[in-house]
Amino acid sequence: MQLSEGQISALRDLRSKKAGEEVDWINIADARALTELGLAERNREGWIITAAGEVALGLLCRAPDRPKT
């Protein structure tokens, strides 16, 4: 799965949001793309990361060509 830097950033922000941290605005285009991939969803409170999104982010952070966060 190839994600853009913006999508990865949005996924990280959604993970932080789920943890109760303050996050900046999520780019809607990135969030919609993540939703189409099943990595995020939209509910009454806004965009949230899915279980699949958390797994994908964990895999991306471990990839040798990506910096760990």
Side-chain angles (χ1 to χ4, degrees):
M1 171 184 322
Q2 278 294 77
L3 298 179
S4 71
E5 288 300 320
Q7 292 166 338
I8 293 169
S9 178
L11 208 50
R12 285 182 180 138
D13 284 346
L14 292 175
R15 178 182 59 188
S16 295
K17 179 181 173 184
K18 182 177 179 181
E21 299 173 25
E22 286 286 321
V23 297
D24 270 340
W25 293 96
I26 307 291
N27 180 290
I28 294 173
D30 291 330
R32 285 182 177 167
L34 294 173
T35 299
E36 289 176 16
L37 296 169
L39 305 178
E41 61 185 36
R42 176 125 171 108
N43 66 17
R44 294 177 75 170
E45 286 88 38
W47 300 100
I48 59 171
I49 192 169
T50 62
E54 292 189 51
V55 169
L57 188 56
L59 293 172
L60 288 168
C61 290
R62 290 188 195 111
D65 61 335
R66 299 262 186 219
K68 292 184 180 183
T69 59

